[in-house]
Amino acid sequence: MELRYPNGKKYKGKKNKAGRKNANQILYGNRGMTLEEDLNETNAYYLQEGIAVIHKKPTPIQIVQVDYQSRSTAVIKEAYFKQPSTTDYNGVMNGKYIDFEAKETQNHTSFPLHNFHEHQISHMKQVVAQGGICFVILRFAKEEEIFLLESRHLFFYWDRMLAGGRKSIKKEEIEENGHPIPVGYRPRIDYIAVLKQLYAL
Amino acid sequence: MELRYPNGKKYKGKKNKAGRKNANQILYGNRGMTLEEDLNETNAYYLQEGIAVIHKKPTPIQIVQVDYQSRSTAVIKEAYFKQPSTTDYNGVMNGKYIDFEAKETQNHTSFPLHNFHEHQISHMKQVVAQGGICFVILRFAKEEEIFLLESRHLFFYWDRMLAGGRKSIKKEEIEENGHPIPVGYRPRIDYIAVLKQLYAL
């Protein structure tokens, strides 16, 4: 959501008594925004600025019953959520294919791997095999800390779990192998800035 | 749908009296397969063979009411189809971003442009601006003729329509600027073969 004055001018945040901008404090203290909402706005910003074309895929649904009440109106009366077979986000930047999943946890010290499905890991491996850029965005909700972790690291922790190891990634491991993404205003979660450092984009 | 004998061996088609394989005649004469089904199988083949990772996006749905009957079962009781804001298919081959829409017509001599939405054309233009590979697959259902048309040509015909011109693409125009895709067995609609000729893939 972009704040604007009634005349259409963009809201840039007010100075407080100390003369310091506090727009971020207002916008980010207890905003209650989900990671998905933040990423949707980030992607809308990238699109608008011509930086990248990244979209969230629709939630996959199994439709069972549809009522065609008129020629133009179809109402879905019974449907079920399906487990996604791919990641949620993909798109293009400078011709390169970009693919990622985003998850958040209320935990403080580790990121549970049950946030991911076997199908998604398989998909990410297929993308990497085709030379795509693939990663996950992990958010520690309580601390409002966000990391980009390249998928090869996720595969390592996933395989460690399958081999009988821990069912989560330690936060120290994410700090060591991942890349922090500072939370900003526009864009909110500038993961492209991290990708530019990691890849020739 | 892949045909198999009860023992699991793949059905390759029988020889007819003239000793010629007629599997294609059996499989493709009046199969009643939709373009979407054919493309899903084509993409499954590409995925299985490690050629490309291309998926159809789920149909976008606006969910209005969900019943949580138990902890694990959520039933969607009211939802509506939304107009897609992007194309239906995208993915990656050799690191390159691939994006397309597929449509079919019962017409014989032209392809109506109302098969596409303004949003989809905008999306395709954004993809092209980011260096993605973007095209449409057009099927003349009655003749079982399929063409790949690069998006820049579609933009030309779209803009011609907006400027007051015809609301369809003549079949001769598609034949001249597009690329025929022969219908085969595995894969059914080998659009990657066309892309390999057009781009350094």
Side-chain angles (χ1 to χ4, degrees):
Chain A
M1 186 189 65
E2 189 179 306
L3 295 181
R4 286 179 184 273
Y5 289 107
N7 65 6
K9 208 180 144 198
K10 280 181 199 164
Y11 173 72
K12 303 279 194 182
K14 289 179 186 169
K15 306 256 180 180
N16 64 15
K17 281 179 185 169
R20 202 159 52 83
K21 278 197 176 189
N22 59 5
N24 282 1
Q25 287 161 303
I26 293 168
L27 290 165
Y28 292 94
N30 275 329
R31 291 169 306 134
M33 294 285 284
T34 65
L35 181 57
E36 178 178 331
E37 288 167 325
D38 277 345
L39 283 170
N40 285 347
E41 290 195 21
T42 298
N43 292 335
Y45 171 83
Y46 289 150
L47 190 65
Q48 189 187 317
E49 301 293 321
I51 295 168
V53 181
I54 316 269
H55 289 278
K56 183 177 185 296
K57 292 187 185 180
T59 305
I61 303 284
Q62 180 70 51
I63 297 170
V64 175
Q65 194 204 333
V66 181
D67 266 18
Y68 294 94
Q69 301 186 326
S70 73
R71 275 176 64 180
S72 59
T73 317
V75 186
I76 298 161
K77 298 298 249 182
E78 186 185 354
Y80 299 88
F81 294 101
K82 284 200 294 187
Q83 205 173 76
S85 54
T86 67
T87 47
D88 272 357
Y89 299 86
N90 74 358
V92 58
M93 180 178 184
N94 290 344
K96 297 284 176 63
Y97 178 77
I98 289 170
D99 191 299
F100 67 96
E101 184 64 38
K103 294 289 182 188
E104 52 195 326
T105 184
Q106 300 295 320
N107 286 12
H108 297 282
T109 58
S110 68
F111 205 98
L113 285 163
H114 65 65
N115 280 289
F116 302 97
H117 307 296
E118 181 69 45
H119 275 141
Q120 294 181 314
I121 303 289
S122 302
H123 170 72
M124 289 190 250
K125 287 184 176 176
Q126 290 158 350
V127 166
V128 169
Q130 276 300 329
I133 293 171
C134 193
F135 55 91
V136 288
I137 291 178
L138 306 176
R139 177 174 180 245
F140 288 91
K142 301 282 196 200
E143 292 84 7
E144 187 64 292
E145 283 185 82
I146 302 177
F147 295 89
L148 185 153
L149 186 71
E150 290 167 276
S151 55
R152 62 193 168 96
H153 295 294
L154 179 65
F155 302 156
F156 173 85
Y157 300 122
W158 186 264
D159 292 342
R160 180 175 70 182
M161 175 181 72
L162 294 185
R166 50 182 301 139
K167 294 183 174 61
S168 65
I169 315 174
K170 283 189 207 171
K171 194 173 177 197
E172 303 96 82
E173 293 173 327
I174 294 170
E175 286 167 341
E176 189 184 330
N177 295 308
H179 307 272
I181 310 177
V183 176
Y185 175 45
R186 269 171 72 82
R188 294 255 167 113
I189 301 175
D190 195 2
Y191 60 89
I192 294 272
V194 175
L195 294 182
K196 280 184 173 170
Q197 291 175 1
L198 294 173
Y199 305 96
L201 280 174
Chain B
M1 185 189 65
E2 190 178 303
L3 295 181
R4 286 178 184 275
Y5 288 108
N7 66 7
K9 209 181 146 197
K10 280 181 200 163
Y11 173 72
K12 300 280 192 182
K14 289 179 187 166
K15 306 255 179 181
N16 63 16
K17 280 181 187 169
R20 202 159 54 84
K21 278 199 175 186
N22 61 3
N24 280 2
Q25 287 161 304
I26 293 168
L27 289 166
Y28 292 95
N30 275 328
R31 291 169 306 135
M33 295 285 285
T34 65
L35 180 59
E36 178 178 331
E37 287 167 326
D38 277 345
L39 283 170
N40 285 347
E41 289 194 24
T42 299
N43 291 336
Y45 171 83
Y46 290 150
L47 189 65
Q48 189 187 316
E49 300 294 320
I51 294 167
V53 180
I54 317 268
H55 288 278
K56 182 177 186 295
K57 293 186 184 180
T59 305
I61 303 282
Q62 180 70 50
I63 297 170
V64 175
Q65 194 203 331
V66 181
D67 266 19
Y68 294 93
Q69 300 186 327
S70 74
R71 275 176 64 179
S72 58
T73 315
V75 185
I76 298 162
K77 298 299 248 182
E78 186 186 355
Y80 298 87
F81 294 101
K82 284 199 293 187
Q83 204 173 75
S85 53
T86 67
T87 47
D88 273 358
Y89 299 87
N90 74 357
V92 59
M93 180 179 183
N94 290 345
K96 297 284 175 65
Y97 178 77
I98 289 170
D99 190 299
F100 66 97
E101 183 65 36
K103 294 290 183 189
E104 52 194 327
T105 183
Q106 301 295 321
N107 285 12
H108 297 283
T109 57
S110 69
F111 204 98
L113 285 162
H114 66 63
N115 280 289
F116 303 97
H117 307 295
E118 181 68 46
H119 275 142
Q120 294 181 314
I121 303 288
S122 302
H123 170 72
M124 289 191 250
K125 288 185 175 175
Q126 289 158 350
V127 165
V128 169
Q130 277 301 329
I133 293 170
C134 193
F135 54 92
V136 288
I137 291 177
L138 306 177
R139 177 175 179 245
F140 288 91
K142 301 280 195 200
E143 293 84 7
E144 187 63 293
E145 283 185 83
I146 302 177
F147 295 89
L148 185 153
L149 184 72
E150 290 167 275
S151 56
R152 63 194 167 96
H153 294 295
L154 179 66
F155 302 157
F156 173 82
Y157 300 121
W158 186 265
D159 292 342
R160 181 175 69 182
M161 176 182 71
L162 294 185
R166 50 182 299 137
K167 294 184 173 62
S168 66
I169 315 174
K170 283 189 208 170
K171 195 174 176 196
E172 302 97 81
E173 292 173 328
I174 294 170
E175 286 167 341
E176 189 184 331
N177 294 309
H179 308 271
I181 310 176
V183 176
Y185 175 46
R186 268 171 76 80
R188 294 257 168 110
I189 301 175
D190 194 3
Y191 60 89
I192 294 272
V194 175
L195 294 182
K196 280 184 174 170
Q197 290 174 3
L198 294 174
Y199 304 96
L201 279 174

